[in-house]
Short mmCIF file of all heavy atoms in Angstrom, two decimals:
data_model
loop_
_atom_site.label_atom_id
_atom_site.label_comp_id
_atom_site.label_asym_id
_atom_site.label_seq_id
_atom_site.Cartn_x
_atom_site.Cartn_y
_atom_site.Cartn_z
N ALA A 44 -32.52 14.68 21.98
CA ALA A 44 -33.74 13.99 22.48
C ALA A 44 -33.86 14.07 23.98
O ALA A 44 -34.96 14.47 24.51
CB ALA A 44 -33.68 12.48 22.09
N PHE A 45 -32.81 13.86 24.76
CA PHE A 45 -32.88 13.96 26.17
C PHE A 45 -33.04 15.43 26.59
O PHE A 45 -33.81 15.70 27.54
CB PHE A 45 -31.58 13.38 26.80
CG PHE A 45 -31.61 11.88 27.04
CD1 PHE A 45 -30.80 11.06 26.28
CD2 PHE A 45 -32.46 11.35 27.95
CE1 PHE A 45 -30.89 9.67 26.46
CE2 PHE A 45 -32.43 10.02 28.23
CZ PHE A 45 -31.68 9.19 27.41
N LEU A 46 -32.29 16.29 26.01
CA LEU A 46 -32.33 17.71 26.37
C LEU A 46 -33.73 18.32 26.15
O LEU A 46 -34.30 18.93 27.06
CB LEU A 46 -31.25 18.51 25.57
CG LEU A 46 -31.33 20.02 25.75
CD1 LEU A 46 -30.77 20.33 27.16
CD2 LEU A 46 -30.46 20.71 24.68
N GLU A 47 -34.27 18.09 24.94
CA GLU A 47 -35.53 18.73 24.61
C GLU A 47 -36.70 18.04 25.40
O GLU A 47 -37.65 18.77 25.80
CB GLU A 47 -35.75 18.62 23.17
CG GLU A 47 -34.69 19.51 22.36
CD GLU A 47 -34.85 19.44 20.85
OE1 GLU A 47 -35.84 18.73 20.37
OE2 GLU A 47 -34.08 19.99 20.12
N ALA A 48 -36.66 16.76 25.51
CA ALA A 48 -37.70 16.10 26.26
C ALA A 48 -37.67 16.57 27.76
O ALA A 48 -38.71 16.74 28.35
CB ALA A 48 -37.59 14.58 26.16
N GLY A 49 -36.49 16.62 28.29
CA GLY A 49 -36.33 17.09 29.67
C GLY A 49 -36.84 18.48 29.95
O GLY A 49 -37.31 18.76 31.01
N LEU A 50 -36.66 19.37 28.94
CA LEU A 50 -37.00 20.76 29.13
C LEU A 50 -38.45 21.10 28.77
O LEU A 50 -38.87 22.27 28.79
CB LEU A 50 -36.06 21.65 28.33
CG LEU A 50 -34.61 21.70 28.87
CD1 LEU A 50 -33.74 22.58 27.96
CD2 LEU A 50 -34.55 22.12 30.36
N THR A 51 -39.18 20.03 28.35
CA THR A 51 -40.61 20.25 28.03
C THR A 51 -41.48 19.38 28.98
O THR A 51 -40.94 18.72 29.84
CB THR A 51 -40.92 19.91 26.53
OG1 THR A 51 -40.32 18.59 26.25
CG2 THR A 51 -40.23 20.89 25.65
N ARG A 52 -42.77 19.42 28.77
CA ARG A 52 -43.69 18.73 29.71
C ARG A 52 -43.84 17.23 29.37
O ARG A 52 -43.70 16.83 28.24
CB ARG A 52 -45.06 19.41 29.70
CG ARG A 52 -45.03 20.81 30.32
CD ARG A 52 -46.28 21.61 30.04
NE ARG A 52 -46.43 22.04 28.63
CZ ARG A 52 -47.35 22.84 28.19
NH1 ARG A 52 -48.27 23.29 29.04
NH2 ARG A 52 -47.39 23.17 26.95
N MET A 53 -44.12 16.42 30.42
CA MET A 53 -44.15 14.99 30.23
C MET A 53 -45.24 14.56 29.28
O MET A 53 -45.12 13.52 28.68
CB MET A 53 -44.27 14.29 31.54
CG MET A 53 -45.59 14.53 32.32
SD MET A 53 -45.82 13.26 33.62
CE MET A 53 -44.31 13.57 34.57
N LYS A 54 -46.29 15.37 29.08
CA LYS A 54 -47.37 14.93 28.23
C LYS A 54 -46.87 15.01 26.71
O LYS A 54 -47.59 14.53 25.84
CB LYS A 54 -48.56 15.83 28.37
CG LYS A 54 -48.41 17.29 28.07
CD LYS A 54 -49.64 18.07 28.29
CE LYS A 54 -49.53 19.52 27.99
NZ LYS A 54 -50.79 20.27 28.26
N ASN A 55 -45.74 15.55 26.49
CA ASN A 55 -45.22 15.63 25.09
C ASN A 55 -43.85 14.91 24.97
O ASN A 55 -43.19 15.01 23.92
CB ASN A 55 -44.98 17.12 24.71
CG ASN A 55 -46.28 17.93 24.74
OD1 ASN A 55 -47.27 17.50 24.17
ND2 ASN A 55 -46.27 19.08 25.45
N ALA A 56 -43.46 14.19 26.03
CA ALA A 56 -42.06 13.67 26.04
C ALA A 56 -41.80 12.75 24.90
O ALA A 56 -40.70 12.77 24.27
CB ALA A 56 -41.83 12.98 27.37
N ALA A 57 -42.62 11.77 24.58
CA ALA A 57 -42.40 10.79 23.55
C ALA A 57 -42.34 11.51 22.22
O ALA A 57 -41.46 11.16 21.35
CB ALA A 57 -43.43 9.73 23.60
N HIS A 58 -43.25 12.45 21.98
CA HIS A 58 -43.27 13.18 20.71
C HIS A 58 -42.00 13.92 20.53
O HIS A 58 -41.37 13.91 19.46
CB HIS A 58 -44.54 14.07 20.76
CG HIS A 58 -44.55 15.08 19.55
ND1 HIS A 58 -45.16 14.69 18.41
CD2 HIS A 58 -44.08 16.30 19.41
CE1 HIS A 58 -45.10 15.74 17.53
NE2 HIS A 58 -44.45 16.74 18.17
N ILE A 59 -41.58 14.67 21.59
CA ILE A 59 -40.43 15.50 21.47
C ILE A 59 -39.17 14.69 21.20
O ILE A 59 -38.37 15.05 20.37
CB ILE A 59 -40.24 16.36 22.71
CG1 ILE A 59 -41.40 17.32 22.93
CG2 ILE A 59 -38.92 17.11 22.75
CD1 ILE A 59 -41.50 18.39 21.83
N ALA A 60 -38.98 13.63 21.95
CA ALA A 60 -37.84 12.76 21.79
C ALA A 60 -37.84 12.00 20.51
O ALA A 60 -36.82 11.90 19.74
CB ALA A 60 -37.72 11.76 22.96
N GLY A 61 -39.00 11.48 20.10
CA GLY A 61 -39.10 10.64 18.90
C GLY A 61 -38.92 11.42 17.65
O GLY A 61 -38.44 10.82 16.60
N LYS A 62 -39.18 12.75 17.59
CA LYS A 62 -39.01 13.46 16.34
C LYS A 62 -37.57 13.52 15.91
O LYS A 62 -37.31 13.73 14.74
CB LYS A 62 -39.61 14.86 16.55
CG LYS A 62 -38.98 15.77 17.57
CD LYS A 62 -37.80 16.55 17.09
CE LYS A 62 -37.30 17.45 18.24
NZ LYS A 62 -35.95 18.08 17.88
N ASN A 63 -36.61 13.28 16.85
CA ASN A 63 -35.23 13.31 16.42
C ASN A 63 -34.92 12.11 15.48
O ASN A 63 -34.01 12.26 14.62
CB ASN A 63 -34.33 13.25 17.67
CG ASN A 63 -34.30 14.57 18.41
OD1 ASN A 63 -33.66 15.52 18.06
ND2 ASN A 63 -35.06 14.60 19.50
#
Side-chain angles (χ1 to χ4, degrees):
F45 276 112
L46 176 69
E47 296 176 4
L50 292 179
T51 51
R52 291 169 289 186
M53 65 165 56
K54 64 182 180 180
N55 300 310
H58 174 88
I59 295 295
K62 61 89 179 171
N63 288 281

